[in-house]
């Protein structure tokens, strides 16, 4: 068995165990294999192992790989998106995880056109880390209240990146806070906002994220190595 297939099996087992621990249905948890800095050959191995969705951090890297893997996988943009790059990715991308500004929403709306709906997650900087993108928690609801202005954008949920820590228990409150924020937003029935996806959890913290309600984990190094 290749290392990638073995790693995928271990991650799937980890997802199952975390779902069980959290009293959740593992079938509702989607795995995004994060393929930044991973060659197309190794991505092919992951696809052979049943991966259906890949996450890329940078627009240029996604565009370089897209023609080779087109039609074989769903593309998720998980990294920061600059306004001037929106026009290059709307055709290819299934879900943008990193919407965090009015100017970006306006650009997506402007470039979508043709009745196309663009699915996004709003990135929240729950831990208020100065080095991270994403909206502060307190600006998230006011931002989501604006989406009636952008009829081509459908907000599927929220995304966060927890701080890097050795013990993932330390970031459990971050995940819990994002889930509670999503629940609060769901009761508001905002135009353009569905709020069924919680993209949280990476290699070091995905088990805790799942226990706290994540239904989309973004995992790179546990699958492809460091
Ligand atoms: C790199 C990256 C991941 C995956 O990180 P690992 O720790 O390798 O699993 C997830 N989300 C984002 C936004 C990333 O940039």
């Amino acid at each position: 068995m290749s290392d990638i297939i073995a790693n995928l099996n271990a991650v799937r087992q980890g997802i199952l165990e975390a779902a069980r621990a959290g009293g959740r249905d593992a079938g509702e948890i989607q795995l995004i294999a994060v393929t930044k800095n991973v060659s197309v050959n190794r991505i092919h191995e992951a696809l052979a192992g049943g991966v259906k969705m890949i996450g890329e951090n940078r627009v240029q890297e996604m565009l370089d790989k897209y023609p080779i893997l087109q039609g074989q996988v769903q593309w998720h943009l998980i990294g920061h998106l600059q306004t001037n790059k929106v026009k290059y990715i709307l055709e290819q991308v299934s879900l943008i995880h990193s919407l965090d500004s009015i100017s970006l929403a306006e650009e997506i709306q402007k470039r979508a056109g043709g009745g196309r709906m663009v699915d996004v997650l709003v990135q929240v900087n729950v831990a208020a880390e100065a080095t991270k993108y994403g909206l502060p928690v307190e600006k998230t609801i006011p931002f989501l209240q604006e989406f009636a202005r952008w009829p081509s954008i459908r907000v599927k949920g929220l995304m966060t990146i927890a701080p890097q820590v050795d013990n993932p228990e330390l970031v459990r409150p971050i995940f819990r806070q994002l889930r509670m924020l999503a629940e609060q937003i769901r009761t508001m029935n905002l135009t353009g906002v569905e709020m069924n996806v919680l993209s949280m959890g990476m290699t070091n913290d995905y088990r805790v994220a799942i226990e706290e309600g994540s239904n989309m984990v973004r995992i790179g190094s546990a699958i492809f190595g460091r």
Side-chain angles (χ1 to χ4, degrees):
M1 206 191 308
S2 85
D3 59 335
I4 289 174
I5 302 282
N7 291 347
L8 269 171
N9 288 342
V11 166
R12 291 198 178 104
Q13 185 62 31
I15 291 172
L16 271 176
E17 286 166 11
R20 201 172 296 141
R24 316 253 329 271
D25 173 7
E28 69 179 28
I29 297 158
Q30 297 189 290
L31 171 62
I32 312 294
V34 175
T35 50
K36 61 176 184 230
N37 304 319
V38 174
S39 70
V40 168
N41 280 344
R42 288 172 65 75
I43 297 174
H44 273 302
E45 283 189 51
L47 301 190
V51 162
K52 302 273 186 276
M53 291 171 278
I54 61 176
E56 283 287 343
N57 224 34
R58 295 200 314 271
V59 166
Q60 189 55 52
E61 191 172 343
M62 183 182 133
L63 293 175
D64 289 344
K65 291 171 181 172
Y66 184 78
I68 312 170
L69 295 164
Q70 188 177 6
Q72 302 176 49
V73 70
Q74 273 188 25
W75 299 79
H76 289 234
L77 187 76
I78 60 174
H80 177 63
L81 176 58
Q82 286 173 284
T83 307
N84 62 0
K85 301 272 174 70
V86 168
K87 56 180 177 287
Y88 302 118
I89 62 150
L90 285 190
E91 289 292 313
Q92 295 87 342
V93 78
S94 295
L95 185 63
I96 297 168
H97 289 230
S98 50
L99 179 57
D100 65 356
S101 72
I102 286 179
S103 56
L104 192 51
E106 283 177 341
E107 178 68 8
I108 293 171
Q109 176 61 38
K110 178 173 142 199
R111 298 285 174 181
R116 164 135 167 27
M117 292 301 288
V118 180
D119 288 334
V120 305
L121 305 177
V122 167
Q123 182 174 353
V124 185
N125 185 0
V126 179
E129 288 181 282
T131 54
K132 293 241 170 79
Y133 291 103
L135 285 169
V137 169
E138 66 276 11
K139 292 199 172 148
T140 303
I141 289 175
F143 181 56
L144 288 166
Q145 286 169 326
E146 302 275 338
F147 277 76
R149 289 161 54 188
W150 306 309
S152 299
I153 306 180
R154 187 161 48 197
V155 180
K156 306 292 270 187
L158 303 178
M159 179 272 231
T160 199
I161 304 171
Q164 274 288 316
V165 289
D166 289 333
N167 177 3
E169 282 301 326
L170 296 174
V171 291
R172 185 182 290 277
I174 303 283
F175 297 134
R176 186 170 299 172
Q177 199 180 343
L178 194 73
R179 191 231 312 149
M180 289 169 60
L181 179 62
E183 283 170 9
Q184 183 189 353
I185 292 163
R186 206 174 301 126
T187 65
M188 300 174 77
N189 286 314
L190 300 172
T191 303
V193 179
E194 293 179 1
M195 207 45 60
N196 296 315
V197 176
L198 273 181
S199 169
M200 54 187 199
M202 315 185 354
T203 290
N204 282 327
D205 54 23
Y206 76 90
R207 291 177 183 81
V208 172
I210 288 170
E211 287 172 22
E212 294 301 329
S214 170
N215 57 14
M216 192 173 274
V217 290
R218 309 177 308 268
I219 300 186
S221 36
I223 298 172
F224 299 105
R226 291 274 163 207

